[in-house]
Amino acid sequence: MKNLLGIKEMSKKEIIEILDTAKKLDCMNENKRRLQLVGKIMTSLFFEPSTRTRLSFTSAAYKLGCQVLGFDNPNMSSVVKGESLRDTIIMVSAYSDVIVMRHYIEGAAKFAEEITDIPIINAGDGANEHPSQTLLDLYTIREELGNLENKKIAFVGDLKYGRTVHSLSNALKMFNGEFYFIAPNTIQIPDYILKELDKANIKYHIHNDYKDILKEIDCLYMTRIQRERFDDIDEYNKVKNVFRISKKDIDGKCNENMIVMHPLPRVDEINIDLDNTKYAKYFIQAKNGVPIRMAMLSLATGKIKSKAAKKKIDYKIVENKNIICQNKKCVTQFEETKNKVVKKDYGKFCYYCNKEIK
């Protein structure tokens, strides 16, 4: 499987293989499991703050017997001296068997893949994708609801900048999911994602409140309004407290088997009185990050050989001499890239950051 860059690059069979591998490793004898990646080195490059993702990747590596290098503060690295991402990846590749990277620049993981032969695992790139979070979300849904097929999911909160929502909606459309996008207009789900859902004939609904659909859904997926993603602080202040749920909003008013998920960290969008109810699964969700990331490391390094069929490419990729992506947070604006564009029958998209090119 090697590189794990985004959900869009994965087939349904590859996703299921990762979930099944995670379950197998989680149930494996601890002493046997700790021999899986003995002699391997995982380098963890976190250019952006993280608690769950960074620590669960590190925990996963240790549980597999893998050694860990890296940093969680770029200010303690040569980045502060002006070193480019290109040079950082080239140098780190000399010390690593697999690189796990989180970056604030969108498309950074795909760029890294182009300049190294070492496996790259995307631990989140700006507001673009977060595949390992999506995989643990899928694992949680499957464990709690029994399967992934035909689930009705309500995404609530920051849908414009929420990379977890972008990735999870892309994954669940492979399982014929039905989506409810609940957010103020200024942070509603991007049009390019709706175009992809239309192309796949997936049902979705646009709302600005979740209360009327609680009886219909299987999962309420809450998200934090991400202050760090907003260029305009006034825009953030208008929406920062728009959704807050507590036990009284859920208990007795929803589908009895409904679950509440959240990628965390939460701020004030979920009251702590919901934590001990049967609906709350967000801490279990976070715990599930360890087996999922054990599976990703094992498959990326080739310790466990992937047998799943790759996703068929149904689009054309074109290289350009000049920068063509208009997204100012795209890696093409910061590094010398091949300026690749994905051409589909419903539009042109940046290969790196996935944003539509008008």
Side-chain angles (χ1 to χ4, degrees), residues 193-243:
I193 290 180
L194 297 183
K195 286 184 178 181
E196 292 170 353
L197 297 179
D198 288 335
K199 175 68 175 178
N201 294 317
I202 296 297
K203 290 183 180 179
Y204 62 84
H205 315 270
I206 306 294
H207 294 279
N208 54 23
D209 196 356
Y210 64 88
K211 294 177 182 176
D212 293 336
I213 52 92
L214 286 175
K215 291 285 187 181
E216 301 176 31
I217 59 175
D218 300 298
C219 175
L220 182 68
Y221 194 99
M222 293 295 296
T223 66
R224 171 178 65 94
I225 307 298
Q226 303 173 91
R227 185 183 186 281
E228 67 272 20
R229 304 290 180 210
F230 286 76
D231 294 323
D232 184 347
I233 191 64
D234 290 333
E235 183 187 352
Y236 166 75
N237 287 329
K238 289 177 184 177
V239 298
K240 64 178 181 180
N241 297 319
V242 67
F243 294 116

Side-chain angles (χ1 to χ4, degrees), residues 265-295:
R266 65 176 166 186
V267 180
D268 54 8
E269 59 274 4
I270 298 180
N271 192 293
I272 61 172
D273 68 359
L274 193 65
D275 292 357
N276 294 321
T277 68
K278 68 178 183 178
Y279 310 107
K281 303 299 179 184
Y282 29 90
F283 292 122
I284 292 172
Q285 182 184 352
K287 184 179 179 181
N288 286 338
V290 176
I292 280 295
R293 286 158 178 146
M294 285 195 292

Side-chain angles (χ1 to χ4, degrees), residues 107-346:
K110 281 189 175 178
F111 171 72
E113 175 201 25
E114 291 184 344
I115 58 177
T116 181
D117 292 328
I118 300 299
I120 300 289
I121 296 177
N122 183 9
D125 58 329
N128 183 30
E129 282 222 57
H130 196 349
S132 67
Q133 178 69 47
T134 295
L135 290 164
L136 72 89
D137 290 344
L138 294 172
Y139 188 84
T140 303
I141 292 170
R142 192 172 76 164
E143 288 290 300
E144 299 299 327
L145 297 179
N147 64 75
L148 292 170
E149 298 291 342
N150 305 308
K151 294 295 179 279
K152 295 183 177 182
I153 312 291
F155 296 104
V156 182
D158 183 359
L159 310 188
K160 179 180 180 180
Y161 301 109
R163 60 192 174 197
T164 57
V165 174
H166 301 170
S167 290
L168 186 54
S169 60
N170 263 298
L172 284 171
K173 76 181 182 184
M174 301 182 207
F175 298 88
N176 198 35
E178 183 173 344
F179 307 129
Y180 297 77
F181 297 116
I182 301 166
N185 290 337
T186 55
I187 52 172
Q188 189 50 269
I189 196 75
D191 286 342
Y192 73 91
I193 290 180
L194 297 183
K195 286 184 178 181
E196 292 170 353
L197 297 179
D198 288 335
K199 175 68 175 178
N201 294 317
I202 296 297
K203 290 183 180 179
Y204 62 84
H205 315 270
I206 306 294
H207 294 279
N208 54 23
D209 196 356
Y210 64 88
K211 294 177 182 176
D212 293 336
I213 52 92
L214 286 175
K215 291 285 187 181
E216 301 176 31
I217 59 175
D218 300 298
C219 175
L220 182 68
Y221 194 99
M222 293 295 296
T223 66
R224 171 178 65 94
I225 307 298
Q226 303 173 91
R227 185 183 186 281
E228 67 272 20
R229 304 290 180 210
F230 286 76
D231 294 323
D232 184 347
I233 191 64
D234 290 333
E235 183 187 352
Y236 166 75
N237 287 329
K238 289 177 184 177
V239 298
K240 64 178 181 180
N241 297 319
V242 67
F243 294 116
R244 292 181 176 180
I245 65 170
S246 59
K247 184 178 179 179
K248 65 179 176 58
D249 299 313
I250 302 297
D251 202 14
K253 299 177 181 179
C254 67
N255 168 0
E256 278 302 300
N257 296 316
M258 188 192 81
I259 60 175
V260 179
M261 296 173 63
H262 191 305
L264 303 177
R266 65 176 166 186
V267 180
D268 54 8
E269 59 274 4
I270 298 180
N271 192 293
I272 61 172
D273 68 359
L274 193 65
D275 292 357
N276 294 321
T277 68
K278 68 178 183 178
Y279 310 107
K281 303 299 179 184
Y282 29 90
F283 292 122
I284 292 172
Q285 182 184 352
K287 184 179 179 181
N288 286 338
V290 176
I292 280 295
R293 286 158 178 146
M294 285 195 292
M296 294 178 79
L297 289 170
S298 297
L299 287 161
T301 57
K303 175 61 180 180
I304 294 177
K305 302 295 183 184
S306 175
K307 297 178 182 178
K310 304 292 182 184
K311 185 173 184 178
K312 292 182 180 179
I313 295 178
D314 58 354
Y315 51 81
K316 185 178 180 181
I317 299 176
V318 178
E319 294 183 13
N320 294 272
K321 290 183 178 180
N322 300 316
I323 298 171
I324 192 169
C325 182
Q326 298 106 336
N327 176 15
K328 293 182 180 179
K329 296 180 180 179
C330 178
V331 69
T332 58
Q333 307 286 340
F334 298 89
E335 300 279 342
E336 185 178 333
T337 74
K338 297 178 182 178
N339 299 310
K340 293 179 181 178
V341 172
V342 172
K343 291 188 174 183
K344 301 182 179 180
D345 56 8
Y346 54 93

